[in-house]
Amino acid sequence: QRQMCIRDSANMSHELRTPLNSILILSQQLAENAPATLNPKQVEFSRNINSSGSDLLHLINDILDLSKIESGTVTVEVEEIPFAELHGNIDRNFRHVAEAKNLPFNVHFAEGLPKVMDSDPKRLQQILKNLLSNAVKFTAHGKVEVRVDLATQGWSADHPVLSKAPQVIAFAVED
C-alpha cells in the first residue's frame, strides 16, 4: 500500500510538472519581451503567471515530500554545510522579500559556531524557506530575524542521532 501511494504521488507529480514546466518556460519568454511587442502591463502579467507557476511547482514538490515522509520513504542526504555559505544563502534569498514589505531583516550567526555543520542541505533549505516565507508574509510591522547558535535547550540528549553529535545547532526565526 505504501509503495502504491508513493508511486501514485510520483505519477501525479510528473503529470502536474510536465505542463507546468511548459507554462513556466513560455511565461518567462513572454516576460523577457525580446521582440519588444508587449506593453508594460502584459509583461507584468507574464511575470505574475511565471511567479504563480513557480509557487505551484514548489507546492507540488512539497506535497511529494510530505507523501514520502508519511510513507517512511524519505531519504536524508547528510553533507557538510559551511555556515558562511548558509548565511549568504539566507541573506540573498530573503532580504529582498523582507525589504519589499519595508521590514528590517536581520541574520545573526553566533560567534561560537563551528565552520560547518552536518545536515541535509535540501531539507534545511526547505525548513528555513517555509519559516522565513511565513514570517515575511504574516508580518505587517516590525522585523524578521534569523538567529543561529549552539542549542542549549529544546532537544533531548538521549535522542539517537543528536546524542552522538558533538554540538547541536539551534535555528530561530522571529517576526
Side-chain angles (χ1 to χ4, degrees):
Q1 177 114 12
R2 283 184 179 177
Q3 286 181 336
M4 178 67 90
C5 179
I6 288 300
R7 194 174 321 118
D8 290 345
S9 294
N11 289 340
M12 175 77 74
S13 175
H14 176 73
E15 295 297 322
L16 293 170
R17 285 182 189 162
T18 301
L20 186 54
N21 282 330
S22 294
I23 291 169
L24 289 172
I25 291 167
L26 294 172
S27 62
Q28 179 64 40
Q29 289 176 346
L30 277 172
E32 289 170 1
N33 196 20
T37 55
L38 301 179
N39 66 43
K41 200 71 168 162
Q42 290 170 320
V43 170
E44 179 187 340
F45 290 160
S46 299
R47 286 187 182 129
N48 288 342
I49 291 168
N50 187 267
S51 176
S52 295
S54 241
D55 290 345
L56 186 56
L57 182 59
H58 291 295
L59 182 60
I60 291 166
N61 290 335
D62 290 347
I63 289 169
L64 184 58
D65 283 346
L66 283 174
S67 296
K68 288 179 181 178
I69 290 169
E70 287 175 354
S71 68
T73 60
V74 71
T75 57
V76 175
E77 311 226 356
V78 176
E79 298 176 20
E80 273 192 356
I81 303 172
F83 280 108
E85 184 179 306
L86 183 59
H87 185 285
N89 286 342
I90 292 170
D91 197 66
R92 183 174 46 258
N93 291 324
F94 291 98
R95 180 164 304 283
H96 69 283
V97 179
E99 287 176 352
K101 285 190 68 180
N102 294 317
L103 294 171
F105 183 67
N106 303 312
V107 181
H108 177 72
F109 279 50
E111 292 293 323
L113 293 173
K115 291 194 182 298
V116 298
M117 69 178 247
D118 292 331
S119 188
D120 183 325
K122 179 182 175 190
R123 305 285 177 230
L124 180 60
Q125 288 293 338
Q126 284 177 319
I127 292 165
L128 291 173
K129 180 181 182 219
N130 186 293
L131 291 172
L132 287 165
S133 294
N134 285 339
V136 171
K137 181 193 260 184
F138 297 113
T139 302
H141 304 290
K143 66 178 180 180
V144 174
E145 185 170 275
V146 180
R147 289 185 314 279
V148 181
D149 202 346
L150 297 176
T152 57
Q153 60 184 11
W155 62 283
S156 171
D158 15 332
H159 185 277
V161 174
L162 297 179
S163 65
K164 297 174 185 152
Q167 296 167 314
V168 176
I169 308 299
F171 288 81
V173 174
E174 183 179 322
D175 56 349

